[in-house]
Amino acid sequence: MDIALKVNQNRLMKNLKVAFSNRFTVLSELMQNARRAGASKVEFSYNEQTNTLTVTDDGCGIDDFQNLLTVADSGWSQDVQESDQPYGMGFASALFAAESITVSSLGKKVALNSKDTLVGHSATVEDSPEAPETGAEIALHGLRMTVKDVNESLKKLSRGFPLPVSLEGEVFERPYALDSGRHFMKSDIGMVSICGLNEPAVSHEVVTRYFLQGIELNRSGSRYGFYSGYANIIHLDSTRFTGRMPDRDSLVDEEISLQVINEEISKRWREFLEGQFKAMTPEAFAEAHLQAANLHAEHLVSALPFIPKSFLGVVEDYPLIQHSDGTTLAECKAHLYRQDIEGGQVLLADRLEDMYIDGENVEAWMYCRAAKAYVLARNLPKGHWAEKHVVNIQEKAPDTPRAINVVPVNILKKGYFSGRWAYASVVLCEKYRIEIEGLPTVEIHDEAIYSEHGFLFPAKETCGDVVQQSSSYTNEYDEFAEGDRYEDGEDLSMYVKHLRCEDPAMILQDLISKVSGLKQIESLLGKTFAVSIDPSGKTAVSLAA
């Protein structure tokens, strides 16, 4: 028994209805037909009372009306078929979108009932004195969309289209079209306009908009939800890139195609940047083109005789655990030059773990602050000349942490602080050292630290901000407990002040002065009291004789 491929025509047409990506596909198909017909413009009008959309063009017109209803055979010329690869399914989208259709061209007209036509009923093409002698006019009756839908959809579809498109005489803007005034270059992938290279840019991290035969692809940019003049515009060569059937809303082998496109963009950038690198001083190049070089030509970043300041940060502020994940790295104000790094004049630290402070890495942040280290705020390009000089403060090898010790020097007193959120031992000392395995030791005389010893207070420190090295003060509602943080800081500062004081009477006087409302209690005024405090902290107060 012989078998052969057969097509169930009725089932095919029924299934094709759900193949089109959306009900607005008919608009792009009508526009494409006008373009392929060699039209110079496409004009739409909409009758809201009858829900009739009419499109006219001044192209070559329709010689054979049968081509409209022949699925998979477009009837276009050989040149159009080679350049556009039409699928011969576009008119089907009109049948699915409208209740009936009237097509007029070159003195002839045909009226089609959509339901009848889709099940194979024939229709008669007649001579018509009302039909245009040039171009074509197609009227979709009972269209299932509003005039607002039509307007919004045409506005989006027109942005990169090569022909003027209008609705009720109002021509839509075409900011991404080849004749928009932007500078386009011919390339292996089509015509390209690269923002920042061919066009001004506020940022090199812009969207890329892809167009195939003048219609923007769905994968392009941020789809239709983003509209900005700052974008790379790519009009793809339709002989090299193929749109997915039936309505070309995406590319065949899309991921591979996008990779080829992005490689072409990077290639253009590299050529431009290499020329700029030769023509400019390193400092001027970094100022003008560093962002683009990071994205497209990292070898030029490595060729600079310095690490750009935007790659670096310094621990300028006192390290505290942040309520939200943040960093205390301040922007570096100057580039870090190669001779200073290779001469050992500066410490170049690798990115600190997670780039924000927690209870596990306070010592590393305090070390970098005391050592005046330059900390990488972003990764260097692979193979960069400075890689061998970068020191990982927290690890001596991957997954091998460095030993970090905080050593108090000349301990003076010890105590214990219990606050609202912070509670730990308090150690008063002359100073303390931070010792990190394999690195120079630093000494700190004027800033407290929270470590395994508790709160270490060197001789010159009086502030209680160190409580925020032990806690983020974030409550169960993910809110910053600002009041508790302030009170804990003030109380710890007062506790350290009293711990340092050698005069018990002065300490008691200071504590009593903090009690509000004493002057309003007349029975206390003019009295002298005897106060005793036993070793357990229990107090006894009596009137003095």
Side-chain angles (χ1 to χ4, degrees):
M1 179 179 69
D2 295 333
I3 62 173
L5 180 67
K6 293 185 177 181
V7 176
N8 184 323
Q9 177 178 322
N10 290 337
R11 179 63 63 181
L12 172 63
M13 296 309 297
K14 183 177 181 180
N15 291 343
L16 190 58
K17 179 178 181 179
V18 297
F20 292 102
S21 61
N22 61 65
R23 61 197 174 103
F24 303 113
T25 295
V26 61
L27 301 178
S28 62
E29 291 295 339
L30 292 171
M31 291 166 59
Q32 292 289 26
N33 285 342
R35 179 183 62 80
R36 290 167 182 159
S40 63
K41 58 184 178 179
V42 192
E43 298 176 334
F44 288 86
S45 62
Y46 193 82
N47 186 321
E48 292 188 77
Q49 293 181 339
T50 61
N51 286 340
T52 298
L53 178 72
T54 303
V55 56
T56 60
D57 67 63
D58 57 354
C60 64
I62 303 170
D63 287 325
D64 187 352
F65 280 60
Q66 179 60 50
N67 289 329
L68 297 173
L69 302 183
T70 304
V71 176
D73 186 359
S74 68
W76 291 109
S77 68
Q78 188 64 31
D79 289 343
V80 171
Q81 293 197 46
E82 289 179 358
S83 63
D84 282 24
Q85 304 176 53
Y87 296 134
M89 295 184 179
F91 194 74
S93 67
L95 293 171
F96 292 127
E99 295 176 2
S100 63
I101 303 173
T102 302
V103 182
S104 306
S105 180
L106 306 184
K108 297 183 182 297
K109 180 173 72 172
V110 65
L112 303 170
N113 178 283
S114 295
K115 286 184 178 180
D116 292 344
T117 303
L118 287 169
V119 295
H121 292 181
S122 62
T124 302
V125 179
E126 302 175 339
D127 292 332
S128 172
E130 299 175 355
E133 295 298 326
T134 60
E137 178 183 288
I138 300 176
L140 282 70
H141 312 286
L143 189 68
R144 288 181 283 276
M145 60 182 76
T146 66
V147 66
K148 181 180 179 182
D149 292 334
V150 173
N151 183 74
E152 289 300 314
S153 187
L154 289 177
K155 180 179 179 181
K156 296 166 185 175
L157 291 169
S158 301
R159 288 175 181 168
F161 202 64
L163 308 181
V165 180
S166 64
L167 177 63
E168 306 296 350
E170 183 174 344
V171 180
F172 295 102
E173 293 183 2
R174 297 183 298 122
Y176 301 138
L178 289 172
D179 59 355
S180 63
R182 295 178 65 112
H183 177 74
F184 284 89
M185 301 181 295
K186 188 175 182 179
S187 74
D188 292 340
I189 62 172
M191 301 299 290
V192 301
S193 176
I194 300 177
C195 189
L197 195 164
N198 305 126
E199 298 292 329
V202 292
S203 169
H204 295 290
E205 295 179 349
V206 297
V207 299
T208 297
R209 295 189 170 279
Y210 313 102
F211 294 83
L212 185 65
Q213 298 173 17
I215 303 297
E216 187 169 8
L217 300 173
N218 280 351
R219 181 66 179 265
S220 176
S222 301
R223 297 184 182 256
Y224 290 135
F226 177 89
Y227 179 63
S228 168
Y230 298 107
N232 299 322
I233 309 300
I234 313 293
H235 282 270
L236 297 170
D237 182 348
S238 58
T239 64
R240 181 174 180 184
F241 296 92
T242 304
R244 187 172 298 281
M245 289 180 63
D247 50 7
R248 306 174 189 270
D249 65 314
S250 61
L251 293 173
V252 174
D253 295 326
E254 186 171 65
E255 294 302 323
I256 296 174
S257 297
L258 291 177
Q259 183 178 349
V260 171
I261 294 167
N262 290 330
E263 286 175 355
E264 178 66 22
I265 293 174
S266 289
K267 172 187 172 184
R268 295 285 173 169
W269 265 113
R270 282 194 300 274
E271 293 173 353
F272 171 76
L273 292 170
E274 285 168 355
Q276 294 293 296
F277 190 86
K278 293 177 181 178
M280 305 172 75
T281 65
E283 291 78 8
F285 178 84
E287 181 69 24
H289 301 302
L290 182 62
Q291 190 176 15
N294 285 334
L295 292 172
H296 306 292
E298 284 191 331
H299 65 290
L300 298 179
V301 179
S302 298
L304 293 170
F306 51 77
I307 299 178
K309 58 186 178 182
S310 61
F311 278 63
L312 301 166
V314 292
V315 187
E316 192 170 89
D317 298 328
Y318 182 59
L320 300 172
I321 299 176
Q322 302 299 310
H323 161 56
S324 57
D325 294 349
T327 175
T328 56
L329 277 184
E331 293 183 2
C332 197
K333 294 181 174 59
H335 304 310
L336 188 57
Y337 281 82
R338 185 168 187 164
Q339 61 266 28
D340 295 328
I341 296 172
E342 293 181 341
Q345 300 173 35
V346 296
L347 174 62
L348 180 59
D350 202 357
R351 301 184 69 185
L352 295 171
E353 183 180 356
D354 297 326
M355 292 308 293
Y356 66 92
I357 302 168
D358 56 33
E360 303 297 324
N361 62 7
V362 166
E363 296 95 338
W365 282 88
M366 289 292 287
Y367 181 91
C368 288
R369 177 170 164 81
K372 296 183 174 11
Y374 291 89
V375 182
L376 288 175
R378 59 182 300 165
N379 294 326
L380 293 171
K382 188 175 181 180
H384 192 279
W385 55 264
E387 279 185 343
K388 61 184 177 181
H389 301 286
V390 177
V391 176
N392 190 315
I393 300 295
Q394 295 164 284
E395 293 184 344
K396 59 183 178 182
D399 300 321
T400 306
R402 293 182 187 272
I404 302 180
N405 296 309
V406 179
V407 182
V409 177
N410 189 16
I411 295 176
L412 304 174
K413 281 187 179 181
K414 292 184 178 181
Y416 191 86
F417 174 76
S418 181
R420 292 159 180 77
W421 292 62
Y423 39 88
S425 297
V426 176
V427 178
L428 303 184
C429 55
E430 177 187 343
K431 58 186 177 182
Y432 60 87
R433 301 189 183 100
I434 301 180
E435 301 173 347
I436 299 182
E437 181 182 2
L439 298 177
T441 297
V442 298
E443 289 188 347
I444 298 178
H445 300 76
D446 56 357
E447 290 183 331
I449 188 173
Y450 177 71
S451 71
E452 60 182 354
H453 300 281
F455 298 119
L456 259 60
F457 273 80
K460 296 181 181 180
E461 175 67 290
T462 59
C463 181
D465 286 346
V466 70
V467 293
Q468 203 173 329
Q469 286 188 356
S470 69
S471 172
S472 68
Y473 285 84
T474 302
N475 63 24
E476 65 269 28
Y477 304 108
D478 198 33
E479 299 169 336
F480 181 57
E482 184 175 2
D484 288 348
R485 159 63 179 84
Y486 174 79
E487 294 296 335
D488 273 359
E490 289 294 299
D491 290 349
L492 178 57
S493 178
M494 182 62 68
Y495 178 76
V496 170
K497 176 182 176 182
H498 295 158
L499 196 60
R500 283 178 173 150
C501 185
E502 300 295 337
D503 185 345
M506 186 177 294
I507 296 173
L508 185 58
Q509 176 63 45
D510 195 32
L511 291 172
I512 293 173
S513 68
K514 302 299 180 184
V515 179
S516 62
L518 288 179
K519 292 182 178 180
Q520 281 72 46
I521 304 175
E522 294 185 2
S523 61
L524 297 180
L525 301 179
K527 304 296 192 297
T528 302
F529 298 90
V531 179
S532 63
I533 304 174
D534 69 14
S536 69
K538 184 177 181 180
T539 60
V541 182
S542 61
L543 282 170

